[in-house]
Amino acid sequence: MTARQQWTAVLVVIALLATGLAAGIHFLGDELFPLGVGSEAPAFTLKTVDSIPSERSLAEYRGKVVLVNVWATWCEPCKAEMPSIERLHQEFGAQGLTVLAVSVDDPGAEQRIREYVKALGLTFQILHDPRMEMKARYGVTGYPETFVIARDGTIRKKVIGAIDWSSEANRALVRELLGGTTASR
């Protein structure tokens, strides 16, 4: 094999690798580069499950601290976690914390979602993502999955699985993001 043929082979291999990388980024971008702390929170617009649904977008809450919780009515860990989110909402809602709980239940499940919310006594905003568009944008891998978004739109905390959102560490984070004093973490 001549030197020219060797260089041609090397260039073909490089071109194939570059094409494979470009295809991987295009088709698997969210899996190759998952959304994490420090990332800009992707935009979404979803409907409420109110008796008269309305659209809500993340952009409406720009400049606020937002806790986005992705959940489903059939998810037992979600049900266990919801009371602590409600406590956090009760403590910090008036100070500027917005809680958006995004249900990924199937289309047509709005009544079941409303019954679930009523049974748990939840008072924060409930949204519905039956086509799982927001789930895909955020790369949600399990339920519940929660994102705490700072006033500047960046993700400051990401949690996969149920936790106690009314714990002192989580309350300190919310206080810090709201501009209050913090306890040491």
Side-chain angles (χ1 to χ4, degrees):
M1 185 181 266
T2 67
R4 183 178 189 147
Q5 289 172 325
Q6 288 175 342
W7 279 110
T8 301
V10 167
L11 291 175
V12 167
V13 169
I14 290 172
L16 287 172
L17 289 172
T19 302
L21 178 62
I25 290 170
H26 177 74
F27 293 109
L28 302 171
D30 291 338
E31 293 171 28
L32 292 174
F33 307 105
L35 192 63
V37 173
S39 300
E40 181 77 18
F44 63 83
T45 300
L46 298 170
K47 288 191 176 181
T48 66
V49 294
D50 301 329
S51 55
I52 301 174
S54 61
E55 287 192 341
R56 294 282 186 266
S57 70
L58 183 61
E60 293 176 46
Y61 304 102
R62 185 77 175 186
K64 297 184 181 225
V65 176
V66 182
L67 183 144
V68 177
N69 177 260
V70 184
W71 65 283
T73 58
W74 44 262
C75 167
E76 287 303 317
C78 300
K79 188 174 186 177
E81 178 181 60
M82 285 292 184
S84 72
I85 294 174
E86 178 64 26
R87 286 189 297 274
L88 194 70
H89 169 67
Q90 290 296 322
E91 183 174 351
F92 294 105
Q95 297 171 42
L97 174 68
T98 298
V99 174
L100 302 175
V102 179
S103 167
V104 293
D105 283 280
D106 293 332
E110 292 80 11
Q111 183 58 37
R112 182 173 68 241
I113 297 167
R114 283 191 291 271
E115 290 168 2
Y116 179 97
V117 167
K118 184 178 179 183
L120 290 178
L122 305 177
T123 60
F124 43 80
Q125 184 69 69
I126 307 294
L127 304 174
H128 192 198
D129 185 16
R131 294 187 308 260
M132 298 193 185
E133 294 168 0
M134 182 265 182
K135 174 191 179 279
R137 281 195 187 131
Y138 279 68
V140 173
T141 58
Y143 307 108
E145 192 159 325
T146 308
F147 302 84
V148 177
I149 303 168
R151 294 180 192 274
D152 67 358
T154 58
I155 296 171
R156 292 291 302 272
K157 184 170 186 162
K158 175 182 176 181
V159 177
I160 301 170
I163 67 168
D164 179 5
W165 284 99
S166 59
S167 72
E168 183 50 41
N170 287 319
R171 291 168 56 239
L173 172 64
V174 171
R175 272 194 301 275
E176 175 186 339
L177 294 175
L178 290 171
T181 59
T182 62
S184 61
R185 282 186 248 164

